Amino acid sequence: MAAALGFRVFLLLLLFPPPLRAAQPSAEPVEPPETSAAVAARTRRGPAPVTDVAKLCVCDLLVAQCDVNCCCDPDCSAADFSLFTTCSVPVVTGDSRLCSQKAAIYSLDVEANPPERVFKLIDQVNPSIFCIHATNYEQALTFSSPEIPTSENFDQLLKQFGSATFSAEPESWDMNTDDQNLSDANEVYRYQYGVPIQTVDAFLRLPSPVVSSWCSDENPAGFLVSQATKCIRSVSVEKCNDIQAINMLFYINSSILAVPKSSQMVNISVQSIVVQSLNGMRTLLNDSDVLRLPMFLDELCINVVLGVSYHITYTDAGEIIEAAGAFVLGAINKEALSIEQSFEISFTQVNTTPVPLSGNPGYVVGLPVRAGFRPQGSGIIQNTNKYSQLTILQSTSVQDCLVAQGARAPVLFGYNMISGCKLRITAAMKCQPLTQALLDLLKGQSFPEYVASFGNSQAQDVLDWVPITHLYISGQSSCQIPVSLEIEVKWTKYGSLVNPQARIVNVTATITTTTLKQLPSGRERTIPITSSVVFTDVSLPAEPGYKAWPTINAKLPFDFFFPFV
């Protein structure tokens, strides 16, 4: 009976199951899965400001004192602000590369009594199209502390950073090798400025001192980078024939690649060989095609390479077509433990005349001002002196103008110069010959007509040359002799404000004369003759809100193309 009743209850439970219990609410709510729109919004969130612009004050220079007209100085009181005439720094911003940032605006309310400072904190929008909207590369927000060289890690740091080129990219930056190989296949190779000149085995070496004065052979010669180096090489006279660095073969045995990664090669020929004796006297050899190897002879090592000068000829397409080396060979005695070697490299474009430049493009302070002439219907013919320079009278120790005639000094850009001499006048001197002699003394035999406006102005670009304006200041007397030549060079800053280039815009040569009075017989008179050069900066100051021409601020941040995280 009991078994039958249990079977019936079990059957009822199967037919009519009890209702399920409702799930109890958990203590922590369960967030819904993050959608793609939420992820994108979180990615577009701007970076947190690194600096509080309200507390940033660039004109606060005095400690615990109020700086005049510094409206953001926390040491200034309301009484100090009432005496201000203007705010020296009206706007203080943070990182200018961000698309949106905070800006602190300072001004003075002069209508208030007393005048008071007005402070506002606004959101400033960067109008540049190349601004940073979101910072998703955390490592770019900080600078890692550089590793300090020690005796343990010095060799490692020298190996990593001692060469002319090195890579500071983290090893975790993966490159797409397939895309790289595809771009390499489509690229037309040619040498560009600064690219190391490749050879069959590595690159063209131009030894130079790296850390100390000792020579390092790991310095590559860069294309179109003219260099001149000197360094010390340790030698052993008894084993000099085994030292590669003092052997001519070491510098000419490797052929240069005409263009990078090509099979076309250019051999380095021997242009000239100069032999230097122990006392420093040099002799040019006629048979430069004969290879001279180091040799130990009578306690001397002869044919030691003391200097190498490479000369590279290239085309406008960036291809090297010729390479030559000029050698200076010398002898060292048994007591010598080291020698000084000099190395130089220069470049010349084919079918052009090599002309030393004074800047690229703008003039460099301390380099000569280039000058020349312009014949009728042709381009500029550069000056006939050694380096096509503008020159002035060079002072001599004797201070005698008649002895100093012909001695000239180059005019160096940015250097105000003055020179002169003394002229002894006697009663026998005639006016006309003396006037011509003094003109030749002050201006030289061929005073130029034009000056290059840029340091790299080419002779065929006539518009890049500035004519020299001549002025004469003389009296009313019949006999006027020149006593001074004053050259004023006006220049201006040209181009970008970040990297302005010096450009000459006007040159004026003023000759001042004086009256030559007839002297009694047997009497003499001494007058000073001077020549001077002055450089004047005529650049216009940058005015707020003024732009000479439309500009686009297209400076990319350094990690702009880094793959987004």
Side-chain angles (χ1 to χ4, degrees), residues 63-123:
V63 179
Q65 297 184 33
C66 178
D67 292 81
V68 179
N69 291 336
C70 184
C71 297
C72 56
D73 192 347
D75 299 319
C76 298
S77 61
D80 297 325
F81 292 139
S82 64
L83 301 176
F84 286 2
T85 58
T86 183
C87 291
S88 58
V89 181
V91 181
V92 179
T93 59
D95 192 349
S96 60
R97 301 177 301 171
L98 301 179
C99 296
S100 178
Q101 57 180 321
K102 292 291 183 180
I105 307 297
Y106 298 92
S107 61
L108 291 177
D109 185 4
V110 295
E111 297 181 356
N113 189 16
E116 59 184 12
R117 185 197 68 169
V118 179
F119 168 74
K120 291 189 297 182
L121 192 64
I122 64 173
D123 291 328

Side-chain angles (χ1 to χ4, degrees), residues 139-147 168 170:
Q139 298 180 8
L141 299 177
T142 58
F143 293 96
S144 59
S145 300
E147 189 174 358

Side-chain angles (χ1 to χ4, degrees), residues 289-543:
D289 56 342
V290 178
L291 189 63
R292 296 177 176 267
L293 303 180
M295 183 183 305
F296 183 69
L297 183 64
D298 295 336
E299 296 186 353
L300 292 177
C301 185
I302 60 176
N303 299 330
V304 175
V305 175
L306 301 180
V308 182
S309 297
Y310 291 112
H311 186 77
I312 307 297
T313 304
Y314 66 97
T315 65
D316 55 355
E319 178 183 358
I320 295 177
I321 58 175
E322 287 184 12
F327 291 85
V328 177
L329 306 181
I332 54 177
N333 52 31
K334 190 175 182 180
E335 289 76 15
L337 300 178
S338 62
I339 60 173
E340 182 183 59
Q341 292 180 310
S342 61
F343 301 92
E344 187 176 354
I345 186 170
S346 59
F347 299 85
T348 301
Q349 185 174 337
V350 65
N351 297 329
T352 60
T353 303
V355 176
L357 302 181
S358 296
N360 190 19
Y363 274 97
V364 177
V365 175
L367 294 183
V369 175
R370 301 168 57 216
F373 301 88
R374 184 186 179 186
Q376 188 69 24
S378 65
I380 300 295
I381 298 178
Q382 300 211 32
N383 212 352
T384 54
N385 57 31
K386 183 177 180 182
Y387 295 112
S388 303
Q389 302 163 350
L390 179 65
T391 60
I392 63 172
L393 172 67
Q394 182 178 358
S395 299
T396 59
S397 58
V398 294
Q399 288 293 305
D400 189 351
C401 290
L402 299 180
V403 177
Q405 191 166 8
R408 310 291 294 177
V411 175
L412 305 180
F413 183 82
Y415 285 6
N416 296 336
M417 307 168 63
I418 185 171
S419 62
C421 58
K422 294 181 180 181
L423 177 65
R424 185 170 57 91
I425 300 177
T426 62
M429 290 184 175
K430 302 299 181 181
C431 180
Q432 187 63 29
L434 183 59
T435 300
Q436 188 61 43
L438 290 177
L439 281 177
D440 294 341
L441 176 68
L442 292 173
K443 301 176 64 175
Q445 295 297 326
S446 56
F447 194 77
E449 301 172 349
Y450 288 82
V451 166
S453 59
F454 289 102
N456 66 346
S457 297
Q458 300 298 318
Q460 62 270 19
D461 300 330
V462 180
L463 296 180
D464 266 359
W465 293 75
V466 179
I468 299 177
T469 303
H470 295 271
L471 299 178
Y472 292 89
I473 301 178
S474 61
Q476 302 298 327
S477 175
S478 59
C479 183
Q480 297 285 326
I481 61 172
V483 293
S484 70
L485 170 64
E486 300 175 359
I487 300 176
E488 183 184 15
V489 180
K490 295 181 180 180
W491 65 279
T492 182
K493 298 181 181 70
Y494 182 84
S496 171
L497 294 177
V498 180
N499 184 24
Q501 301 294 311
R503 176 187 182 185
I504 294 177
V505 294
N506 181 268
V507 180
T508 304
T510 304
I511 292 182
T512 304
T513 64
T514 187
T515 302
L516 178 63
K517 298 179 180 180
Q518 185 65 33
L519 296 176
S521 179
R523 297 290 298 273
E524 294 182 355
R525 178 187 174 193
T526 302
I527 61 174
I529 306 297
T530 60
S531 183
S532 63
V533 177
V534 61
F535 287 83
T536 305
D537 185 1
V538 294
S539 303
L540 293 176
E543 300 179 4

